[in-house]
Amino acid sequence: MMPKAVAKTRPLRRLAGSEAEHSAVLSALSDPILVIDHRDLLTYMNLSAEQFLQTSWTVAIGRPLSALLPADSPLFDLIDQVRERGSSVSEFGVNMETPKIGSHFVSIDVAAVPELPGSIVVSLKERSIARKIEHQLVHRNAARSVTAMAAMLAHEVKNPLSGIRGAAQLLEASVEQGDRELTRLICEEADRIVSLVDRMEMFSDNRPLERTSVNIHEVLGHVRRLADNGFARHLRFEESYDPSLPAVYGNRDLLIQVVLNLVKNAAEAAPEQDGEIILSTRYQQGVRLAVPGSESRVDLPLLVSVQDNGSGIPEDLRQHLFDAFVSNKPNGKGLGLALVAKIVGDHGGVIEFDSEPRRTVFRMMLPTAS
């Protein structure tokens, strides 16, 4: 096998000047990068692509991509779409598998190269957004797994609690003054449990969403006014919106609930001094998500972000952040983000996050209205 240092320099001997510098930059990337010409022949691959495809530059360059990947690979469909549309395409949750390279769960970005007519550049991401989307599907299932529990609790817990509370109120009238504190405590705790069950009942609502065209900026503006006049009045808000953004195909009330939960979490995470929340929207062309169990794909071009400058999410919580009953708040129930995951999933969308000290951002990818 060629030593790693030699493999890095191999593309550079074919180029000169600034092109060699650009090639060096691409070879330094951890994501595999491929370039094919109008005949689908490989004309460039960086070091990560060599490692991913388990082949070398000298063997692969000039050969058809179909010699390295099976003809039914989803990548070829994406390349055809880019050539037909002339615009870039991204797809999450793609499994690329051959006996030589093994099985890889990746996201794929494919784009035309205007300066090289007929050429296509392909970027494969194995450890970034693809893993987040994989986790997102797990989070969505975890949120929905609470449904049966919520339905059971609503019937099996709330009715007995009503009897317990009624009995405590009757006792209060016949016990001494010193014991009435205990009966009031029973009533308060019963009310607290009922409130928790009421929140969980939202998971058991499996009716189809009533969806219309929703202006996401109106949703964000509504939540911003609530925050400014209540729980986040001490924080600074910054807005970065794409004014040409099309409408979301969704349920306005549920989208308000999602954004409100995210902004509340951001407000609780932000520091008291110099706390900041950034709300942003943008359009990302060609982002699609494979629908589990079917051949269809959902376009998710609308990106809505909520960012705070808090201390970040603890490492041990990140893997299960959208699971029910997971929280790092002293009095948190751990249902807020689970409900967010369910609502976004019911819209056919995706939610993911990045977190580091002084920067935590939650991103929702949502479908447009027809």
Side-chain angles (χ1 to χ4, degrees):
M1 180 176 291
M2 186 71 69
K4 192 171 183 179
V6 177
K8 273 191 175 182
T9 62
R10 204 180 307 129
L12 305 187
R13 291 203 291 266
R14 302 172 59 90
L15 301 170
S18 61
E19 291 184 359
E21 295 175 359
H22 296 161
S23 182
V25 171
L26 292 174
S27 289
L29 295 176
S30 61
D31 295 331
I33 305 293
L34 308 168
V35 179
I36 59 173
D37 64 12
H38 64 284
R39 297 172 298 173
D40 287 347
L41 301 180
L42 275 165
T43 60
Y44 176 82
M45 61 193 305
N46 67 353
L47 177 63
S48 295
E50 292 184 69
Q51 296 170 342
F52 182 87
L53 295 173
Q54 295 293 301
T55 189
S56 67
W57 166 276
T58 52
V59 171
I61 295 304
R63 297 182 66 193
L65 187 57
S66 57
L68 302 175
L69 294 172
D72 60 352
S73 172
L75 176 57
F76 294 106
D77 291 334
L78 298 178
I79 291 172
D80 290 341
Q81 289 178 37
V82 170
R83 289 205 167 110
E84 291 172 6
R85 300 180 185 179
S87 59
S88 61
V89 172
S90 299
E91 186 157 328
F92 300 137
V94 179
N95 190 55
M96 297 186 67
E97 183 174 7
T98 72
K100 186 174 183 180
I101 70 173
S103 179
H104 296 268
F105 187 77
V106 300
S107 65
I108 305 175
D109 296 308
V110 184
V113 184
E115 295 79 8
L116 302 173
S119 291
I120 299 291
V121 61
V122 177
S123 173
L124 306 175
K125 298 182 178 65
E126 190 174 12
R127 292 178 296 276
S128 55
I129 186 67
R131 285 301 173 193
K132 293 175 185 176
I133 299 303
E134 181 186 31
H135 294 156
Q136 163 61 23
L137 296 177
V138 173
H139 300 327
R140 185 183 300 177
N141 292 333
R144 287 174 174 166
S145 70
V146 185
T147 299
M149 186 190 303
M152 180 273 293
L153 285 174
H155 182 266
E156 300 295 336
V157 176
K158 289 177 71 174
N159 289 341
L161 281 174
S162 178
I164 293 172
R165 193 183 194 287
Q169 288 177 318
L170 291 174
L171 284 173
E172 187 173 1
S174 59
V175 299
E176 298 180 359
Q177 183 66 32
D179 293 329
R180 289 180 182 177
E181 289 186 11
L182 296 177
T183 58
R184 282 195 290 270
L185 179 62
I186 293 172
C187 291
E188 290 172 1
E189 289 301 293
D191 290 342
R192 187 175 65 84
I193 297 173
V194 168
S195 176
L196 175 61
V197 173
D198 285 341
R199 291 184 65 188
M200 291 190 63
E201 274 191 291
M202 300 184 69
F203 289 94
S204 64
D205 188 353
N206 289 319
R207 294 172 297 175
L209 294 183
E210 296 181 6
R211 295 204 273 181
T212 59
S213 296
V214 179
N215 185 328
I216 194 63
H217 295 139
E218 291 182 359
V219 170
L220 292 167
H222 180 79
V223 173
R224 166 78 187 274
R225 287 190 294 273
L226 292 175
D228 278 338
N229 292 286
F231 59 86
R233 63 169 60 93
H234 62 292
L235 301 176
R236 184 174 72 87
F237 275 85
E238 181 178 324
E239 296 172 329
S240 177
Y241 296 157
D242 179 354
S244 64
L245 206 66
V248 176
Y249 184 49
N251 182 292
R252 182 179 184 274
D253 291 341
L254 291 178
L255 289 174
I256 287 176
Q257 184 172 3
V258 166
V259 176
L260 186 60
N261 279 2
L262 293 177
V263 172
K264 278 185 175 179
N265 285 349
E268 292 173 356
E272 289 290 331
Q273 298 293 328
D274 301 321
E276 177 184 70
I277 296 176
I278 301 175
L279 306 177
S280 62
T281 62
R282 68 180 175 88
Y283 193 90
Q284 51 182 8
Q285 180 66 41
V287 176
R288 304 194 308 165
L289 177 67
V291 177
S294 77
E295 297 297 324
S296 61
R297 300 290 188 271
V298 178
D299 290 309
L300 303 174
L302 306 185
L303 186 68
V304 182
S305 302
V306 178
Q307 178 178 326
D308 66 71
N309 63 339
S311 58
I313 298 169
E315 187 69 34
D316 59 336
L317 290 183
R318 296 181 187 183
Q319 184 76 10
H320 307 285
L321 192 63
F322 292 99
D323 292 351
F325 309 113
V326 174
S327 176
N328 64 340
K329 303 174 187 176
N331 298 314
K333 306 296 190 301
L335 293 177
L337 287 177
L339 184 59
V340 165
K342 179 183 185 300
I343 293 174
V344 173
D346 289 345
H347 278 77
V350 164
I351 184 167
E352 50 100 359
F353 69 93
D354 287 319
S355 183
E356 59 188 52
R358 303 291 294 176
R359 183 183 178 275
T360 296
V361 54
F362 282 83
R363 301 183 187 90
M364 291 187 292
M365 288 170 268
L366 298 168
T368 59
S370 300

